Amino acid sequence: MTLCYRTAQAPTGERSKVDLFSEIEEPEREELKALRKELEEQNYKYYVLNAPTMSDREFDEKMHRLQELEAQFPDMFDPKSPTQHVGSDLAVTGYGLRVTGKGFEQVKHRYPMLSLANSYSREEIEDWVRKLPANAEIVCELKYDGLSISLWYEHGVLVKALTRGDGQQGDNVIDNIKTIPSIPWRIERNDIPDSFEMRGEVLLPWERFEALNKEREEQEEPLFANPRNAASGTLKLQDPREVARRGLDAYLYYMLGENLPGKTHFERLDTARQWGFPVSDAIKVCHSVDEVMAYIAYWDTERKTLPVATDGIVLKVNDLAQQEELGFTAKTPRWAIAYKFPAEKQLTLLREITYQVGRTGVVTPVANLEPVQLSGTIVQRATLHNEDFIRSLDIRPGDKVWVEKGGEIIPKITGKVQSDEVQSTKDFSFPDVCPECGAKLVRVEGEAAWRCPNEAGCPPQIKGKIEHFVSRKAMDIEGLGEETIDLFYQKGLLHNIADIYSLRLEDIAAQERLGEKSAQNLLDGIEASKQVPWSRVLFALGIRMVGETTAKKIARRFNSIDTLQWATAEQLCAIEDVGPQIAENIVRYFEDIRNLEILARLRQAGLQMEGEPEPEPTSDKLAGLSIVISGTFAHHSRDEYKALIEQHGGKNVGSVSKKTSFILAGDNMGPEKRKKAEDLGIKIVTEDEFLDLIKN
Ligand code: IVH
């Protein structure tokens, strides 16, 4: 692996040589093109979707290979190549991948937000240090694994907080950043520059990350792979209250601007700390290769005790004049480099496979491992996902298996030791009956999961449904935690969600650990839940695949349980986000007499079984029209335009097709959309034209 500090090179002009070798070179040129495409896609998955499908290490290796190939073929230079720009969390990336409707102000960075050259090899780090001027001091810092942020202060006031975006411009997420308690909104000092910028990393601490994922698991929402993805998803939320609840944190590591105090990076960070910024204490000025290596060795183990994720060490030349001399490449400063810790991997014994039954009856195999230390935590359990996963790795109890935490991802089994010495003790076969209730398992066609069909009689399903019903985003009944539900279930007080509303003070107070006071609190909580709006009641029912957002959309269209009960699959499918599978689940739910009985009792108890009717269209000016919204607007937000379209009887659709009536286009309309519209001859309507159209 070579480190590349190359800026773009112009073609050399030696065409004849290139021609001569072109046949031999062809596969490498193809490889170069394929790598560009693959890395661009990964950037998109990582920065925009927060769901990478490649490990950091694999990504870095491919990026290095691409750099090598680009150095070999300077005539293939392309400013859009992923080697030439940092990954982007914005709408449009170099090769045209796109996401729309983020709703943040986009602001151009005063100084581009760059990345760092990195290496997994300690030898390469030693080489880098040795090549610096002999007297150079090196600041060593932890490399925090979150996402970078740029904070602008004007006259001591925080005025903007920009994500990296594509390195040139970012999203202003100031309202979300203001939820981080350690970041000052205002600095009351008279010795600070009028204007300066602090850069750093936004993180979700391990503890918060785990709590968030636990909550998501309960809600059957997809889990975040690691704290970085969780922090990124959180920072892009449109609801600062939810951001505040999740508990982001930050460390700042770079001060930028004109006429700043200090001649060294270290002095500046020290000053920033005195001004009240969250600057890490784990920063050290080193004077030799040995000192740097000792720092790396120390933090390689010590970092596992930190409350936040780190994935390496950053080395920076301390002297600012020396930094300036070294300068920048297109993507990275030459005065800094990152050493990345290798992904942690351990071999351990797979003692046993056990099976967990979730609230929807899905049976998940779990690996019970001989405990091993991985990235600061002891790992003894890991999910095996489903039968197909186990078969594809051919793992059985008794095998030695590899457990990995790639880029701090939740532990996963990645393979087993193929050796005659290690003997699997048992054959593997997936159970055919439910480990909890003995019902015969079913495997739904097209799904990888086995499921217990005994919804009303299988204990974890019964308890899981009640836990979901009382959870914060559903009926929000405090005082009915997992343990209490288990206790009440054992004592015969709770068998289904309707039983909650039949609980009596004396029954609750008679239980161990629950006095009269907590019993009364619980009853108050139950009483209060009767005011929870219809859309959340619908979510709380726990109909398979009907998550929080889908429930809201359904409740908007069917504003009472009575109308929903008679909805056909076809009518349900007309709702945004509702596909045939969800529609079928809803129809089936209302076909089950047991559910109807429960619903009758809930209604009797006084729950909100209907909501505000959907606003009637105020005109039919757009009736029958399918309208695509694209770009950014001056007079209204995209959501407001969506509501306006609906109020006038039109339909807002996501993508351009033959059926699109017209495109409501603001500034910066996506180039792909524009091209498609032109190809299909679809009219583009400006914001003012649109407002004219719907005016009385
Ligand atoms: S310095 C011009 N210092 O790592 C260089 N970056 O892989 C500015 N990061 O984009 C970056 N900890 O988001 C710097 N102590 C640290 C860091 C750090 C984490 C992130 C940062 C950067 C990325 C590069």
Side-chain angles (χ1 to χ4, degrees), residues 275-387:
W275 291 350
F277 285 106
V279 174
S280 163
D281 289 325
I283 299 180
K284 187 170 189 290
V285 182
C286 295
H287 301 87
S288 67
V289 173
D290 289 348
E291 266 185 87
V292 170
M293 289 309 164
Y295 183 94
I296 291 181
Y298 176 78
W299 283 107
D300 196 356
T301 45
E302 208 52 31
R303 73 188 182 107
K304 292 164 193 164
T305 63
L306 295 173
V308 292
T310 53
D311 62 344
I313 301 292
V314 183
L315 284 66
K316 298 175 184 170
V317 169
N318 193 19
D319 187 283
L320 298 171
Q322 278 181 340
Q323 279 193 5
E324 206 170 306
E325 259 170 53
L326 288 161
F328 295 86
T329 71
K331 267 182 77 175
T332 61
R334 289 196 184 84
W335 46 262
I337 192 169
Y339 166 72
K340 297 252 274 201
F341 297 120
E344 282 212 65
K345 212 172 156 181
Q346 290 282 359
L347 260 184
T348 190
L349 176 73
L350 173 61
R351 284 175 169 167
E352 189 190 3
I353 299 177
T354 52
Y355 298 87
Q356 238 172 23
V357 185
R359 90 170 148 90
T360 56
V362 169
V363 181
T364 308
V366 177
N368 291 258
L369 306 163
E370 192 144 291
V372 271
Q373 180 99 21
L374 260 189
S375 306
T377 46
I378 295 191
V379 176
Q380 45 193 340
R381 282 155 69 82
T383 175
L384 292 169
H385 305 287
N386 51 50
E387 181 178 9

Side-chain angles (χ1 to χ4, degrees), residues 114-116 141-144 148 164 201 253-254 314 316 333 335:
L114 301 177
S115 179
L116 289 170
E141 298 171 15
L142 288 166
K143 184 170 184 315
Y144 293 101
S148 34
R164 176 154 79 174
E201 205 78 353
Y253 45 64
Y254 194 18
V314 183
K316 298 175 184 170
W335 46 262

Side-chain angles (χ1 to χ4, degrees), residues 298-592:
Y298 176 78
W299 283 107
D300 196 356
T301 45
E302 208 52 31
R303 73 188 182 107
K304 292 164 193 164
T305 63
L306 295 173
V308 292
T310 53
D311 62 344
I313 301 292
V314 183
L315 284 66
K316 298 175 184 170
V317 169
N318 193 19
D319 187 283
L320 298 171
Q322 278 181 340
Q323 279 193 5
E324 206 170 306
E325 259 170 53
L326 288 161
F328 295 86
T329 71
K331 267 182 77 175
T332 61
R334 289 196 184 84
W335 46 262
I337 192 169
Y339 166 72
K340 297 252 274 201
F341 297 120
E344 282 212 65
K345 212 172 156 181
Q346 290 282 359
L347 260 184
T348 190
L349 176 73
L350 173 61
R351 284 175 169 167
E352 189 190 3
I353 299 177
T354 52
Y355 298 87
Q356 238 172 23
V357 185
R359 90 170 148 90
T360 56
V362 169
V363 181
T364 308
V366 177
N368 291 258
L369 306 163
E370 192 144 291
V372 271
Q373 180 99 21
L374 260 189
S375 306
T377 46
I378 295 191
V379 176
Q380 45 193 340
R381 282 155 69 82
T383 175
L384 292 169
H385 305 287
N386 51 50
E387 181 178 9
D388 296 349
F389 180 83
I390 300 176
R391 297 215 181 276
S392 69
L393 293 181
D394 186 28
I395 46 183
R396 297 147 205 241
D399 281 345
K400 282 262 179 191
V401 292
W402 284 108
V403 203
E404 204 175 288
K405 268 193 170 180
E408 313 296 357
I409 294 177
I410 300 164
K412 58 179 182 196
I413 309 270
T414 54
K416 69 168 190 178
V417 177
Q418 309 278 359
S419 141
D420 295 341
E421 287 159 41
V422 190
Q423 279 298 318
S424 307
T425 50
K426 297 178 195 131
D427 262 358
F428 164 74
S429 63
F430 206 88
D432 53 5
V433 294
C434 173
E436 297 281 346
C437 72
K440 193 158 171 44
L441 298 182
V442 291
R443 187 166 173 171
V444 180
E445 215 186 296
E447 280 184 27
W450 284 96
R451 198 181 283 281
C452 166
N454 183 16
E455 268 184 66
C458 180
Q461 292 192 64
I462 296 172
K463 288 187 275 182
K465 281 195 180 67
I466 299 173
E467 281 164 25
H468 170 76
F469 184 81
V470 303
S471 65
R472 202 181 51 81
K473 287 187 174 168
M475 303 306 281
D476 195 16
I477 302 178
E478 259 183 63
L480 254 189
E482 216 176 302
E483 276 177 36
T484 315
I485 291 173
D486 188 41
L487 178 74
F488 287 7
Y489 174 77
Q490 304 292 345
K491 296 289 166 87
L493 293 174
L494 282 185
H495 271 106
N496 59 48
I497 53 178
D499 290 345
I500 296 173
Y501 296 91
S502 308
L503 286 172
R504 292 179 313 168
L505 187 73
E506 54 271 31
D507 291 337
I508 306 172
Q511 304 306 321
E512 260 174 70
R513 293 179 286 118
L514 281 165
E516 193 138 324
K517 186 153 183 292
S518 40
Q520 189 54 51
N521 285 345
L522 175 54
L523 284 183
D524 291 347
I526 294 173
E527 193 56 32
S529 75
K530 295 178 184 169
Q531 299 313 318
V532 164
W534 154 233
S535 64
R536 270 170 56 192
V537 174
L538 175 58
F539 168 59
L541 295 179
I543 303 174
R544 271 182 56 209
M545 293 166 76
V546 178
E548 198 193 352
T549 323
T550 314
K552 269 194 200 140
K553 288 185 179 158
I554 298 173
R556 216 178 293 142
R557 168 71 183 78
F558 292 96
N559 61 343
S560 73
I561 192 93
D562 297 320
T563 49
L564 180 61
Q565 183 177 347
W566 302 109
T568 62
E570 211 173 11
Q571 288 170 327
L572 290 164
C573 281
I575 303 172
E576 197 183 5
D577 288 359
V578 177
Q581 188 63 57
I582 299 184
E584 191 187 321
N585 293 344
I586 297 171
V587 171
R588 284 229 179 129
Y589 179 87
F590 288 108
E591 278 168 4
D592 190 328

